[in-house]
Amino acid sequence: MAAGFQAVMDKLKIIGQRALHGTVQASGAKNAALPLMAAALLTAEPVLLHNTPQLMDVRTLSKLLRSLGAQVEQQGDALRIDAAAVDHYEASYDLVKTMRASVLVLGPLLARFGQARVSLPGGCAIGARPVDQHIKGLQALGADIVVEHGYIVARVATPSGRLRGAHITTDMVTVTGTENLMMAAALAEGETLIDNAAREPEVVDLACLLRRMGAQIRGEGTSQIRITGVPRLRGATHRIIPDRIEVGTFLCAALATRGDVTVQGADPAHQDALLDKLREAGAQITTGDDWIRLRADALPAGRPRAVSVRTTEYPGFATDMQAQFMAVNCIADGAARITETIFENRFMHVQELVRLGAQIDIDGHTCVVRGVPQLSGANVMATDLRASAGLVVAALAAEGQTLIDRIYHLDRGYDAMEVKLRALGADIERIKTSPGA
Ligand code: UD1
C-alpha cells in the first residue's frame, strides 16, 4: 500500500500550449493484460505475457494472484505467472474495491478449483457497475452462488465437480462479463454459447491466449462465442495487444496542441471509430501496420472542428475515450454533443474542464460543448482514470499552468504517461508530495 499511498499525494504540473511533436511508443493494453493475467489461473503450467504495461492495476492484480498462492515475476515488460501452487480462492474487499477488474479471477478459480470467494466491487466513481451478469452466467454453467457478507461465494454444484456448458445470453454487452464466462467455459464439460458477447479487441486477445493454452473457442470478435470445454489447459506465451486507449489519448493530445505525433506499436485496425472522428475534426491521419501519425499543425481554421460523438460498445466510439475527446472539443471551432450510453455517471470531468474555461452544459446523458478559442490553466482534480486523461489533454492545450491533483487515478492505467509526453515536448512534471506533508 505504501506506493499507492505515495501516489495518492502526487500531482501533475502542466504548462500548456506546447505543440506535441515526435514519436511515442504505445504500451500493452491494460484491459487485455488484466484478463490475460487472470487466465493464468486456469492452468498449473506457467503463462508468460510479453508487452505487459507497467501500471498500478497490473501491480494490484499481481498482488491478488500472489495472495492466492501464484508466483508472479515481472522482468521489464515480461510477466511470468505460475499458478501451480494456488491454494487460496478469495479476492478480498481491500483489493477489489481499488480495482473492480479483480472480479476476473472468479471464473477461472471456479472452473479450475470448484470454488471462489470474491468481494462485490461496490459503487465506483462512474456509476453502479453491477456484476449480476457474471453471476447469472456462472450459475447457468452450474455454479452454486450466494452473496453473503459482501462476498460472492461460488461453488461448482455438478456431480462431476466441473462446470457444464450452457447457452448464455447476457442482458447487456459486458466486456469483463464476457471474459469471465469465456474463461470458466474453457474448462467446463461440453459446449457453451455466449450470445450478446462483447466484441472488443481485448476479448479477442483473451481468446487468442486461451487457444494457445489448449482451449477450443470460435467466434471471438463477433457477438456469438462458442466454446467447447476441455479437461485441462497448458501454459503458453503471448504478446499483449497495444493499448488502444493510450494510443487514442496521445492522438487527442496531439490534435488539441496542434502537433504532429506518430504513435508506434499501435494497431490502427482497433481505432477505426476514433480515427474517423479525428479526421472529421480536421486532423490528417496516416497509418502503417503498427503505427498511426496525426498531423494537426496546419488546421484550416487554426483549431479543430467540433465533432459530436456517442459512446457505444466496440466497434463504436469507446466510452474510455469520451473524456479525452471532449477535451479536444473544448477548444474546437463550433459546438458538439457528447452522448454517453455505457455508464450512468461518466461526466465527472465536466466541472473540472469548466474550471479550465470550457463551456459545457450537461443534460442527462448528453453534454453540449461549445468550443472556446483558448482554455486557461487552473487547479483541478482527477476523479477517475479516463477523466484524468481528459484533464491532461485539456491542460496540454490550455494557456498557463494547470495542477492536476489525485493522479493516482491516472497511474492506475497509464504507463509512464508524463515521461512519454515530456519526450514529445510537453512541459509536464510530477510533483511528489511526501505523505503527511
Ligand atoms: C470494461 C473496461 C472499461 C470500459 C468498459 C466499457 C476492463 C478491465 N475494463 O469494464 O475500461 O470502460 O469495459 O467498455 O476491461 N453491467 C451490468 N451488469 C454486469 C456487467 C455490466 O449492469 O454484470 C453494465 C455496467 O454497469 C455498464 C455496462 O454494463 O453500464 C458495460 O459494462 P462492462 O462492459 O461490464 O464494463 P467492464 O467490463 O467493467
Side-chain angles (χ1 to χ4, degrees), residues 15-16 47 50 57 76 108 129 135 156 182 196 233 259 277 288 291 300 302 330 346 431:
I15 317 268
V47 168
H50 290 290
D57 275 9
R129 295 182 87 174
I135 295 176
V156 175
M182 281 165 72
N196 204 22
L233 294 167
K277 292 292 174 184
W291 57 267
C330 289
R346 211 172 196 180
I431 315 265

Side-chain angles (χ1 to χ4, degrees), residues 44 67-68 128 159 164 182 197 210 216 218 244 268-269 273 275 279 314 369 416 422 426 435:
S67 77
L68 303 174
R164 55 171 148 57
M182 281 165 72
L210 289 174
Q216 293 183 21
R218 279 179 295 151
R244 62 196 167 98
L275 296 186
R279 283 193 188 99
Y314 190 84
V369 185
R422 203 176 308 122

Side-chain angles (χ1 to χ4, degrees), residues 30-32 34-35 57 100-101 104 126-135 172-177 179 198 200 202 244-245 312-314 318-320 341-344 346 385-386:
K30 168 181 90 75
N31 286 354
L34 301 176
D57 275 9
R100 50 186 321 291
L104 283 166
I126 61 176
R129 295 182 87 174
V131 287
D132 56 306
Q133 300 302 309
H134 302 236
I135 295 176
M172 78 286 296
V173 177
T174 155
V175 178
T176 48
E179 292 164 346
E200 269 67 3
E202 293 75 18
R244 62 196 167 98
I245 308 301
T312 58
E313 295 89 5
Y314 190 84
T319 173
D320 285 353
T341 75
I342 306 292
F343 291 114
E344 60 191 25
R346 211 172 196 180
L385 169 55
R386 304 305 171 185

Side-chain angles (χ1 to χ4, degrees), residues 225-275:
I225 301 178
R226 200 177 285 272
I227 301 159
T228 307
V230 294
R232 71 188 51 79
L233 294 167
R234 54 178 181 264
T237 298
H238 178 80
R239 185 176 170 81
I240 300 174
I241 56 168
D243 195 313
R244 62 196 167 98
I245 308 301
E246 186 200 28
V247 171
T249 302
F250 286 127
L251 297 177
C252 284
L255 176 54
T257 61
R258 289 84 149 165
D260 178 355
V261 169
T262 301
V263 188
Q264 287 283 358
D267 188 339
H270 296 164
Q271 310 272 175
D272 280 345
L274 175 67
L275 296 186

